[in-house]
């Protein structure tokens, strides 16, 4: 089965079960300041899991682009990726455990769909936790026993069904607060023999490599409060997710995701440029890292991110720089990132047309960043030479960490350089420095997440409504060539990118500000109607995102002033917004300006 067939079958299966297909959201969360990237299929659906009605109803299915960089150091093994596609289906207060489990099993094992051997499927459930006030998920156990019984398998607990604690079988929330719940996971027995790495008796979560997790059904019936309590949600939801690449690896009986057709052309290109082969074990990791990172980079750029030292841009920069370094490790000295990205674009553009639309931009951004970093590498090499000429035999961990931190030299390159000169490096001390640094950045990350979605929601909702007022005001003051090119909202400010090829004058900025404040004072009502995208466009609503044509969408109107296609949420009346102030106006990219603004 090819990736394309798998995507189609999945959506078809759930459409047949009454689900509506929704498009993948942009990789940059529109209104979630607690995360840099969309990391799962449920992520764009949080407001609906919390109870807001979705315009397409209560059963949804999608293939969502996801970025997860927490395990970036593991990329290069057989299953870790920074970009992946997640297949998912949702019940928003509609069906619950029985249907979710039965359908998952049907899709996995029925020959009409994936046709996996039921004998090779093992499952896990939540064992309960007295502190959380949640008991063992006996309901799911009973449903699984029924399901297995139908195919002649006696599913005993401890043999086919396994109960695990919250570390394994509880999902979410994404931030500190929000929807979460117990889950049931499905595993596939690859038939590999257990290597006893994790104790005597092998089991689904043993992690020896024999069992691979293939699907996660989350029963999202709780909302975690800022006090850490799990209170029942008004509606019982189902949120399921399977990683396309891993599923494909199982279906095709491959040893790693890099051996599926999704990576064939990309790896072939890297082999061609470097003259090194994926089959040569000493080069395999570097080739895989480049393939993964440039695939992610192409998708991230297509969704409007540029390399920078902040937020999404810094993640993109890291992906490109790591690719370049590993490229040097393979002996590549010429520009190559753009060439590899062209293959990514060609392979994926049918499914993700945004890659085709931004083809030139993606290649241009990669070449520019690569050129910039090539210089950094050279400066780093000079620093290295200086260090080496000053010292004779030893380089401290602090000094090598300085090279890592300042010039982006990975330890393995520093070690290689040292080896050539027969110099010793204090690797332990390097590790200590590294750990200290990791801890500091983790604390930073924890802080970032500590607000949680719910805490920020009021401030971000207001800024979101202000963004609509801003866009319409810009169009009235500057002209209708102004289109939204990007939006990012935190609890403190809005950031709005729009098409405009020159700087705004002081006077224009004052005019726009005054117009937004006028509309706030008028206390206009904000409301929405659900229509098809075609109807929305006919009515003249602004719509700048990649919604599919047949999708039903929400059109938000603010008095008679603004009309935009948007998922919401918004305030009910503009009078709630307070006073609007433009803090900064600057260039964001060629032909795109950026405004930062606040409400007080
Ligand atoms: N939210 C769950 C996951 O990411 C299921 O979609 O695994």
């Amino acid at each position: 089965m090819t990736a394309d067939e798998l995507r189609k079958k999945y959506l078809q299966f759930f459409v047949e079960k009454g689900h509506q297909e929704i498009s993948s959201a942009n990789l940059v969360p529109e209104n979630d300041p607690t995360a840099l990237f969309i990391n799962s299929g449920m992520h764009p659906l949080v407001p609906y899991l919390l109870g807001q009605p979705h315009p397409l109803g209560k059963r949804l299915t999608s293939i969502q682009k996801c970025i997860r960089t927490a395990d970036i150091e593991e990329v290069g093994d057989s299953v870790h990726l920074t970009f992946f596609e997640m297949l998912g289906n949702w019940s928003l207060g509609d069906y619950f455990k029985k249907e979710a489990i039965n359908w998952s099993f049907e899709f996995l094992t029925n020959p009409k769909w994936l046709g996996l051997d039921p004998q090779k499927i093992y499952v896990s459930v939540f064992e309960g936790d007295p502190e959380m006030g949640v008991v063992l998920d006996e309901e799911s156990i009973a449903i699984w026993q029924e399901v297995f019984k139908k195919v002649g398998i006696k599913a005993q607990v401890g043999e086919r069904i396994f109960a695990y604690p919250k570390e394994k079988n509880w999902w979410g929330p994404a931030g500190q607060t929000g929807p979460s719940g117990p889950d049931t996971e499905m595993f596939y027995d690859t038939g590999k023999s257990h290597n006893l790495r994790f104790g005597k008796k092998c089991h689904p979560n043993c992690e020896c490599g024999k069992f691979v997790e293939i699907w996660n059904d989350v029963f999202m019936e709780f909302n975690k409060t800022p006090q850490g309590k799990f209170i029942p949600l008004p509606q019982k939801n189902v949120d399921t997710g399977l990683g396309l690449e891993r599923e494909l690896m199982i279906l095709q009986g491959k040893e790693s995701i890099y051996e599926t057709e999704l990576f064939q052309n990309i790896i072939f290109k890297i082999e061609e440029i470097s003259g090194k082969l994926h089959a040569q074990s000493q080069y395999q990791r570097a080739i895989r890292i480049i393939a993964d990172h440039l695939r992610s980079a192409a998708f991230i750029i297509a969704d409007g991110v540029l390399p920078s030292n902040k937020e999404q841009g810094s993640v993109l920069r890291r992906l490109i720089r790591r690719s370049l370094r590993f490229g040097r490790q393979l002996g590549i000295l010429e520009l190559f990132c753009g060439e590899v990205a062209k293959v990514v674009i060609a392979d994926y553009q049918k499914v993700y047309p945004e890659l085709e639309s931004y083809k030139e931009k993606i290649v241009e951004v990669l070449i520019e960043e690569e050129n910039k970093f090539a210089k950094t590498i050279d400066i780093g090499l000079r620093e290295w030479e200086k260090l080496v000429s000053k010292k004779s035999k030893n380089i401290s961990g602090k000094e090598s960490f300085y090279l890592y931190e300042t010039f982006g030299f990975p330890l393995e390159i520093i070690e290689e350089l040292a080896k050539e000169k027969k110099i010793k490096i204090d690797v332990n001390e390097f590790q200590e420095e590294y750990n200290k640094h990791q801890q500091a950045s983790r604390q930073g990350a924890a802080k970032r997440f500590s607000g949680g979605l719910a805490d920020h929601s009021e401030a971000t909702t207001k800024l979101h409504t202000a963004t609509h007022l801003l866009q319409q005001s810009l169009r009235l003051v500057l002209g209708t060539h102004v289109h939204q090119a990007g939006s990012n909202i935190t609890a403190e400010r809005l950031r709005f990118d729009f098409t405009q090829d020159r700087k705004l004058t002081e006077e224009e900025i004052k005019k726009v500000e005054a117009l937004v404040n006028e509309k706030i004072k008028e206390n206009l009502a904000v409301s929405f109607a659900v229509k098809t995208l075609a109807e929305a466009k006919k009515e003249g609503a602004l719509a700048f995102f990649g919604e599919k044509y047949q999708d039903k969408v929400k059109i938000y109107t603010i008095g008679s002033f603004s009309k935009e296609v948007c998922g919401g949420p918004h305030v009910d009346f503009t009078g709630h917004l307070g006073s609007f102030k433009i803090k900064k106006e600057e260039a964001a990219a060629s032909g795109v300006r950026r405004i930062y603004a606040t409400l007080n």
Side-chain angles (χ1 to χ4, degrees):
M1 186 176 300
T2 63
D4 226 28
E5 282 165 348
L6 178 54
R7 289 190 194 98
K8 287 205 179 100
K9 279 203 169 185
Y10 187 83
L11 294 175
Q12 190 197 336
F13 179 84
F14 282 100
V15 166
E16 283 182 20
K17 306 284 184 201
H19 293 63
Q20 297 286 330
E21 182 190 336
I22 51 172
S23 323
S24 172
N26 190 298
L27 279 169
V28 180
E30 218 190 301
N31 289 306
D32 176 6
T34 67
L36 291 179
F37 289 104
I38 291 293
N39 66 16
S40 56
M42 61 76 72
H43 199 165
L45 295 173
V46 167
Y48 309 107
L49 292 162
L50 289 173
Q52 204 188 110
H54 192 283
L56 287 181
K58 294 181 171 180
R59 295 183 183 191
L60 307 173
T61 181
S62 80
I63 299 172
Q64 174 63 46
K65 303 181 278 189
C66 300
I67 293 278
R68 286 186 192 177
T69 53
D71 295 331
I72 192 168
E73 313 275 345
E74 321 246 350
V75 171
D77 69 1
S78 54
V79 290
H80 281 91
L81 292 167
T82 55
F83 169 90
F84 64 97
E85 294 170 74
M86 192 174 236
L87 312 171
N89 59 284
W90 292 273
S91 156
L92 304 173
D94 188 26
Y95 61 84
F96 204 46
K97 296 182 181 178
K98 188 163 183 216
E99 292 86 343
I101 290 176
N102 272 279
W103 290 341
S104 289
F105 194 75
E106 182 186 345
F107 184 70
L108 289 174
T109 59
N110 189 313
K112 186 179 165 201
W113 304 102
L114 300 191
L116 293 173
D117 178 358
Q119 287 290 354
K120 295 192 174 162
I121 311 268
Y122 291 76
V123 301
S124 66
V125 297
F126 183 50
E127 72 175 19
D129 190 313
E131 261 178 43
M132 295 165 78
V134 184
V135 294
L136 167 71
D137 189 357
E138 285 182 272
E139 193 185 344
S140 291
I141 294 177
I143 298 167
W144 276 120
Q145 286 177 328
E146 268 303 295
V147 162
F148 277 112
K149 200 170 150 196
K150 279 190 224 151
V151 291
I153 295 173
K154 191 161 190 264
Q156 307 260 45
V157 176
E159 279 177 18
R160 174 107 10 212
I161 303 171
F162 294 77
Y164 293 103
K166 62 174 185 293
E167 289 73 26
K168 294 288 177 197
N169 281 74
W170 186 272
W171 205 91
Q176 282 221 328
T177 58
S180 69
D183 62 40
T184 178
E185 302 187 348
M186 288 144 264
F187 295 81
Y188 186 79
D189 180 358
T190 60
K192 280 182 203 152
S193 65
H194 173 54
N195 69 10
L196 299 183
R197 198 152 64 97
F198 283 80
K200 260 192 194 145
K201 201 168 176 227
C202 191
H203 60 103
N205 271 317
C206 151
E207 288 173 21
C208 71
K210 179 175 162 66
F211 291 96
V212 179
E213 186 202 322
I214 49 172
W215 206 339
N216 186 8
D217 289 0
V218 187
F219 305 119
M220 281 192 166
E221 50 175 322
F222 295 98
N223 189 7
K224 191 178 177 192
T225 66
Q227 291 73 35
K229 286 219 166 70
F230 290 91
I231 53 164
L233 278 169
Q235 64 188 36
K236 290 185 174 189
N237 306 298
V238 174
D239 152 42
T240 95
L242 4 27
L244 175 88
E245 292 85 352
R246 282 192 193 192
E247 203 72 28
L248 212 56
M249 171 183 98
I250 298 292
L251 290 168
Q252 298 180 351
K254 304 284 191 195
E255 289 282 317
S256 87
I257 42 188
Y258 297 96
E259 281 142 63
T260 65
E261 85 277 14
L262 290 172
F263 283 96
Q264 284 311 289
N265 295 331
I266 304 172
I267 286 179
F268 183 67
K269 190 74 196 171
I270 301 167
E271 290 179 332
E272 189 186 282
I273 297 171
S274 65
K276 312 289 193 301
L277 298 177
H278 182 259
Q280 294 171 286
S281 59
Q282 71 270 39
Y283 302 124
Q284 194 169 78
R285 182 163 175 264
I287 291 177
R288 288 177 175 185
I289 289 171
I290 296 169
D292 166 80
H293 286 13
L294 292 178
R295 189 173 75 131
S296 303
F299 274 97
I300 291 174
I301 299 168
D303 276 356
V305 177
L306 295 172
S308 74
N309 290 330
K310 278 198 309 204
E311 303 181 333
Q312 286 88 358
S314 68
V315 175
L316 172 61
R317 173 159 280 169
R318 183 160 183 222
L319 290 167
I320 302 171
R321 293 186 165 191
R322 277 191 107 224
S323 306
L324 198 59
R325 272 195 237 126
F326 284 99
R328 295 246 161 167
Q329 226 174 59
L330 294 176
I332 308 175
L333 292 171
E334 76 243 47
L335 293 174
F336 70 99
C337 296
E339 291 308 304
V340 176
K342 279 183 198 164
V343 180
V344 175
I345 297 164
D347 278 3
Y348 278 95
Q349 64 188 14
K350 242 179 88 189
V351 189
Y352 298 100
E354 62 271 28
L355 289 173
E356 165 71 6
S357 310
Y358 293 101
K359 187 177 169 164
E360 277 89 34
K361 185 89 202 156
I362 294 167
V363 175
E364 183 192 305
V365 167
L366 286 171
I367 290 177
E368 200 184 309
E369 184 67 12
E370 206 176 347
N371 267 325
K372 245 190 238 163
F373 190 56
K375 282 184 211 133
T376 313
I377 279 201
D378 296 335
I379 298 170
L381 282 171
R382 274 210 300 279
E383 282 295 310
W384 165 256
E385 290 299 333
K386 266 197 245 163
L387 202 61
V388 172
S389 63
K390 264 195 261 157
K391 315 207 69 173
S392 49
K393 284 268 166 294
N394 299 303
I395 300 247
S396 74
K398 273 210 170 85
E399 285 161 330
S400 47
F401 186 73
Y402 167 76
L403 285 174
Y404 168 83
E405 187 52 10
T406 315
F407 304 104
F409 275 27
L411 183 60
E412 60 247 38
I413 289 192
I414 303 170
E415 280 186 304
E416 264 175 36
L417 291 167
K419 225 167 155 185
E420 283 168 23
K421 302 255 179 195
K422 299 203 167 39
I423 285 172
K424 260 203 164 144
I425 287 197
D426 191 335
V427 176
N428 287 337
E429 199 189 54
F430 176 94
Q431 207 56 50
E432 269 171 36
E433 287 294 314
Y434 179 84
N435 289 346
K436 262 194 255 166
H437 178 83
Q438 284 290 91
Q439 229 165 0
S441 64
R442 248 187 233 125
Q443 271 163 4
K447 235 169 137 187
R448 204 185 163 78
F449 279 97
S450 68
L453 266 180
D455 294 346
H456 283 81
S457 66
E458 203 189 318
T460 56
T461 302
K462 286 182 183 173
L463 285 161
H464 190 185
T465 307
T467 303
H468 283 217
L469 292 177
L470 172 62
Q471 165 150 249
Q472 185 57 20
S473 301
L474 285 166
R475 287 167 66 85
L476 289 171
V477 172
L478 302 172
T480 49
H481 62 276
V482 170
H483 282 187
Q484 174 165 338
S487 165
N488 173 281
I489 294 171
T490 69
E492 286 77 35
R493 53 107 185 115
L494 66 84
R495 193 182 78 198
F496 184 69
D497 294 352
F498 57 101
T499 48
Q500 154 86 0
D501 51 16
R502 62 162 178 86
K503 194 172 163 53
L504 271 63
T505 63
E506 276 299 313
E507 205 197 331
E508 284 167 338
I509 292 178
K510 287 268 161 319
K511 261 196 194 160
V512 170
E513 216 173 65
L515 190 50
V516 173
N517 280 317
E518 187 187 311
K519 296 300 151 189
I520 292 175
K521 281 221 185 74
E522 285 174 14
N523 200 19
L524 303 173
V526 184
S527 60
F528 73 84
V530 177
K531 306 253 164 93
T532 66
L533 191 60
E535 285 166 338
K537 284 192 172 152
K538 221 161 116 195
E539 287 181 15
L542 298 178
F544 304 114
F545 296 106
E547 284 100 350
K548 284 195 183 153
Y549 206 65
Q550 73 275 16
D551 280 359
K552 282 241 176 76
V553 294
K554 273 189 192 169
I555 308 171
Y556 271 93
T557 50
I558 307 181
S560 59
F561 183 66
S562 136
K563 191 180 263 195
E564 257 192 64
V565 171
C566 168
H570 284 279
V571 299
D572 297 333
F573 288 94
T574 59
H576 298 316
L577 298 186
S579 155
F580 176 82
K581 178 112 195 81
I582 293 180
K583 292 284 182 188
K584 199 169 170 192
E585 190 269 342
E586 62 184 23
S590 72
V592 179
R593 304 293 299 180
R594 170 170 290 177
I595 280 179
Y596 288 91
T598 57
L599 288 170
N600 287 309

